[in-house]
Amino acid sequence: MNIADIDWNEVWKDGVIFYSGQADNAAAWDGVSANMNAALDKGNYGRNVFKRIKSNPEWSVLDIGCGPGLLVIPLAKSFKRVTALDVSSEMLRYVRQNAAKNKLKNIACVNKGFEYAVIGTDVKQHDVVIASRSMGYVKDLKQFLLNMNAAAKRYAYLTWGTDNRPFDMGVYQAIGRPYGDTRTHIVIYNLLNQLGIKANIELFDCDMGVTPQNSIESALNAIKKRFKDMNMGLELTKEEEVRLIPYLEEKLTINREGAPQIAFHNSTQNIALIWWQPNIAANNKN
C-alpha cells in the first residue's frame, strides 16, 4: 500500500461518524458548558499549552472552539486582540463573564462552527490561530485545517490527545458493540503532510484535572447522557445498561480520602501539540 494513496480525511471522518453519530450539536455543548466552566481552574493543561504559544502584545489571536475561555483569558493578557469562536452560545456567555471578571475588553466572540466559516468574511485573518482539542466532532478535517492555514498569518497551533481511550473501549466491549474511533494525532499530522503543510509536533504530559464519578449510578447516568446528548451513536438500550453494571463495578476504586470513584480518563494524559508557520508551509508546497 502506498501511504500517499490513503485519504486521511476519510479516516478521520470514519471516527467522527462512529463517535459522534451526527454532526456537531450546539445544544449538546450548551448543556455541558456549566460543567466545563466550573473545571477551568482544575489541572494544568491550559497552562502547559499557553506557555508553548508564541505571543506578542501587538498580535491578534483566534481561539477556535474556545469553550468557556480556558485559553482565551490568558491569551487576552498577552495579545492585543482575541477572537473567541465557538459553536455554543452558552460557552461564549461564560467567556464574556470570565472576561468581565478579569476586566478584559479585548475579546470578541463569534458564534460559529469553524469548518463552515469563510476566511476573510466570517473570520478575519489573525497572527496566531489555535484549536485546542476542538476538532472532535469536525467531519471535514481537511477543510478545518485549510481554514486554519488560511486564517493564520504567523503561526497555527492545534492540540490532540495521544492516549487510547481504554475506558471507552471497555464500555463498548461490555455492551457488545464494535469500537471504531479513528481520530488520532497521527491522522491529523498525516493529513497536514498530505496537504503540503510540514508541521512540527511536540508531546507532553498534562494533569487534566479529571473529576471521577462517585458511584456506579452516577457513572451509568453520565455514560447514558454521553450516548444521548453528544450523539455517540445510538442511545443505550436497557439490556446494554444491565451489561455495563459489572464493568462499572470492576472500575470502581477507593481514593485516598476513602471515597468511591470511577475515572473515565486518566488524570495525567499525553498531549500532542502540532504547529506550523503558514508562509513556510506554502513555500514547501510550492
Side-chain angles (χ1 to χ4, degrees):
M1 176 183 290
N2 189 335
I3 193 170
D5 294 332
I6 299 174
D7 189 334
W8 295 105
N9 198 41
E10 287 299 318
V11 174
W12 178 272
K13 189 179 295 184
D14 286 344
V16 176
I17 292 172
F18 158 76
Y19 211 81
S20 65
Q22 302 174 30
D24 201 354
N25 188 330
W29 288 114
D30 288 345
V32 298
S33 60
N35 288 340
M36 289 183 65
N37 186 60
L40 278 186
D41 294 328
K42 296 181 179 179
N44 60 18
Y45 167 78
R47 292 190 293 276
N48 267 292
V49 174
F50 174 74
K51 71 181 183 181
R52 289 170 166 83
I53 304 298
K54 294 185 184 297
S55 63
N56 185 302
E58 295 303 313
W59 289 358
S60 60
V61 58
L62 168 66
D63 186 0
I64 303 164
C66 62
L70 176 65
L71 291 178
V72 170
I73 302 306
L75 288 171
K77 296 176 182 179
S78 299
F79 284 79
K80 183 176 183 178
R81 178 168 54 87
V82 180
T83 299
L85 183 147
D86 204 285
V87 72
S88 165
S89 59
E90 278 298 294
M91 293 290 190
L92 295 178
R93 184 173 69 83
Y94 283 111
V95 168
R96 295 185 183 96
Q97 285 185 6
N98 292 325
K101 289 178 184 177
N102 287 273
K103 298 180 180 180
L104 296 168
K105 298 181 179 180
N106 59 336
I107 301 169
C109 293
V110 177
N111 187 199
K112 196 171 188 66
F114 185 67
E115 67 182 302
Y116 307 112
V118 177
I119 307 304
T121 302
D122 299 322
V123 179
K124 304 299 182 183
Q125 273 196 318
H126 291 66
D127 292 292
V128 177
V129 173
I130 303 168
S132 169
R133 299 189 304 158
S134 56
M135 304 86 65
Y137 295 94
V138 170
K139 284 188 177 179
D140 193 347
L141 182 63
K142 178 180 178 180
Q143 187 59 54
F144 186 96
L145 296 176
L146 288 173
N147 276 0
M148 282 190 69
N149 195 62
K153 296 178 184 178
R154 302 177 188 271
Y155 294 96
Y157 297 89
L158 62 84
T159 63
W160 195 253
T162 72
D163 299 326
N164 291 327
R165 293 176 175 264
F167 184 87
D168 289 0
M169 292 177 181
V171 166
Y172 276 81
Q173 183 177 10
I175 65 178
R177 297 191 195 182
Y179 185 82
D181 191 0
T182 56
R183 305 166 306 158
T184 71
H185 69 292
I186 298 301
V187 171
I188 299 170
Y189 186 84
N190 285 344
L191 179 52
L192 283 167
N193 186 67
Q194 206 166 53
L195 293 172
I197 299 172
K198 306 302 182 184
N200 307 279
I201 186 167
E202 178 186 354
L203 306 182
F204 55 92
D205 288 332
C206 289
D207 175 4
M208 304 301 289
V210 174
T211 302
Q213 299 295 324
N214 59 14
S215 70
I216 292 173
E217 181 181 10
S218 66
L220 180 59
N221 286 335
I223 294 170
K224 287 166 59 178
K225 181 174 176 60
R226 284 176 61 188
F227 272 77
K228 179 181 179 180
D229 292 348
M230 300 307 291
N231 296 321
M232 285 178 53
L234 300 173
E235 294 183 34
L236 290 178
T237 66
K238 293 297 183 182
E239 293 77 8
E240 288 173 333
E241 291 179 29
V242 171
R243 292 184 203 138
L244 266 179
I245 300 300
Y247 175 68
L248 296 177
E249 290 175 340
E250 176 188 327
K251 294 297 179 182
L252 184 66
T253 60
I254 304 298
N255 65 19
R256 294 177 182 177
E257 289 73 37
Q261 64 177 26
I262 300 176
F264 288 6
H265 304 286
N266 293 331
S267 181
T268 300
Q269 295 179 26
N270 191 249
I271 300 296
L273 174 71
I274 301 174
W275 64 275
W276 68 94
Q277 294 174 265
N279 291 336
I280 293 176
N283 290 336
N284 285 337
K285 187 173 182 180
N286 295 329

